[in-house]
Amino acid sequence: MNQSAPQFSLEFFPPKTEAGREKLQTAQKELFSTIQPAYASVTFGAGGSTQEGTYDAVMEIQQQGVDAAPHLSCIGATKDSITAILRGYQEKGIHRIVALRGDMPSGMGASGDFRYANELVSFIREESGDHFHIEVAAYPEFHPQAPDAFTDLQNFKRKVDAGADSAITQYFYNIDGYLRFGEDCAAMGLDLPIVPGIMPITNYTNLARFSEMCGAEIPRWIKERLIAYRDDTESLRAFGLEVTTRLSQDLLSAGAPGLHFYTMNQSAPTLQVFNNLN
Ligand code: FAD
């Protein structure tokens, strides 16, 4: 059971246009002033597709006085390119990294110096010692490419053994999977904060598509209601808010060390859940 105050963190993606950048700045202003997050992270396109965008977005967060955590995915990357990125962040005073394997965009080959995230975690430790607090990804409902649940747990352990400090989960709507994942990790002797990732529900089609890709289950009792709302966006969002608020409350009551919000660069859905918690 977690005894200290829960920590909240926020995730963003690098905007592609000037309009997106302005929208993101407004959203961050609102989110940062209300939530005062422990840190804010920025995603990274596998294959380096968003490398500059991630860097710029990280610097903008840092300038707002919030601890910024770049995501770094290793699939397709060389050791030299990762070293250059790490040095760049180190020089700018970044102390936290979310270390991932990533998924190669279709059509791109996966040649490079890394195959799995545990190799990236080891490499970051070799290159920069304890400079970075390393977050890794965790999958309470298991990674879709894992051959089986127990192998996936063992593979999660490899990342922790390689030097990860804490983990952020893929989003989920079934608390039992998260609690069992925590119990399984404890049974394997893993003692690190595993922070649940919270995905606000604002649109069924996008959520269903994304969940299909990343292997997150939308429970039937939620899915059928979301489908039934059809174009009634207001009712769908009200229901989505109720679901994610209750999930967040239950997670914190069960001892989760904090919550990591997938903001999708919008302020309102995350702020509504956060305000409901208070
Ligand atoms: P890994 O931990 O390497 O696991 C990938 C698969 O390989 C799993 O099935 C695992 O069981 C297996 N495996 C792991 N290690 C080994 C090993 N040593 N030997 C054999 N099998 C192994 N993607 C992005 O592109 N950019 C992002 O910014 C990004 N941010 C994310 C943030 C969070 C919090 C989460 C949960 C996911 C994020 N993703 C991101 C998605 C992530 O990159 C994908 O889920 C990807 O498929 C797996 O990445 P991983 O780091 O979990 O990989």
Side-chain angles (χ1 to χ4, degrees):
M1 191 78 165
N2 181 47
Q3 299 297 331
S4 46
Q7 290 210 333
F8 298 98
S9 50
L10 304 170
E11 182 171 314
F12 301 97
F13 57 84
K16 289 202 181 93
T17 61
E18 188 51 33
R21 188 172 156 255
E22 282 166 21
K23 226 181 103 206
L24 177 60
Q25 280 176 341
T26 308
Q28 284 178 339
K29 221 170 154 190
E30 290 166 5
L31 288 161
F32 292 168
S33 61
T34 306
I35 298 180
Q36 290 159 358
Y39 69 92
S41 77
V42 182
T43 61
F44 182 92
S49 55
T50 67
Q51 191 169 316
E52 273 175 34
T54 302
Y55 181 86
D56 293 344
V58 160
M59 289 308 135
E60 286 187 12
I61 289 171
Q62 198 85 337
Q63 278 157 18
Q64 294 173 71
V66 171
D67 219 358
H71 293 208
L72 181 56
S73 67
C74 63
I75 196 81
T78 61
K79 288 187 174 177
D80 286 350
S81 67
I82 296 289
T83 302
I85 293 173
L86 293 174
R87 294 232 173 100
Y89 283 133
Q90 240 172 316
E91 278 165 18
K92 294 289 180 187
I94 302 294
H95 281 272
R96 194 185 277 263
I97 276 199
V98 184
L100 302 144
R101 183 196 71 175
D103 294 308
M104 228 30 203
S106 56
M108 279 174 82
S111 62
D113 292 336
F114 303 88
R115 287 166 311 156
Y116 299 106
N118 65 292
E119 297 167 11
L120 176 63
V121 176
S122 298
F123 186 70
I124 297 174
R125 287 287 174 238
E126 275 164 35
E127 282 293 295
S128 46
D130 287 336
H131 177 85
F132 291 106
H133 176 108
I134 304 179
E135 305 274 352
V136 288
Y139 302 86
E141 294 173 349
F142 304 110
H143 187 266
Q145 291 159 5
D148 63 70
F150 303 112
T151 309
D152 205 34
L153 276 166
Q154 289 300 332
N155 287 334
F156 177 68
K157 184 174 184 299
R158 288 176 200 257
K159 298 194 274 196
V160 183
D161 292 344
D165 296 293
S166 46
I168 308 166
T169 75
Q170 183 58 273
Y171 67 86
F172 56 86
Y173 298 105
N174 174 359
I175 189 172
D176 290 343
Y178 169 77
L179 296 179
R180 180 60 197 240
F181 186 83
E183 286 163 14
D184 286 347
C185 288
M188 290 192 297
L190 305 184
D191 178 22
L192 78 168
I194 301 172
V195 178
I198 303 293
M199 178 68 87
I201 300 173
T202 56
N203 173 308
Y204 174 67
T205 313
N206 290 349
L207 184 71
R209 195 180 56 226
F210 198 51
S211 302
E212 182 67 31
M213 277 186 323
C214 70
E217 186 187 40
I218 310 175
R220 188 173 157 80
W221 66 271
I222 296 178
K223 183 175 150 185
E224 293 300 326
R225 282 179 172 82
L226 295 177
I227 291 171
Y229 284 123
R230 294 192 178 85
D231 296 331
D232 183 355
T233 316
E234 206 179 308
S235 303
L236 183 147
R237 288 186 177 191
F239 172 68
L241 176 60
E242 197 187 315
V243 167
T244 38
T245 298
R246 197 181 298 173
L247 175 68
S248 302
Q249 282 165 338
D250 290 349
L251 284 163
L252 294 175
S253 302
L259 300 173
H260 179 82
F261 288 102
Y262 295 107
T263 70
M264 306 306 284
N265 288 9
Q266 294 173 30
S267 59
T270 295
L271 279 177
Q272 285 164 349
V273 176
F274 182 80
N275 288 333
N276 283 353
L277 293 177
N278 291 334

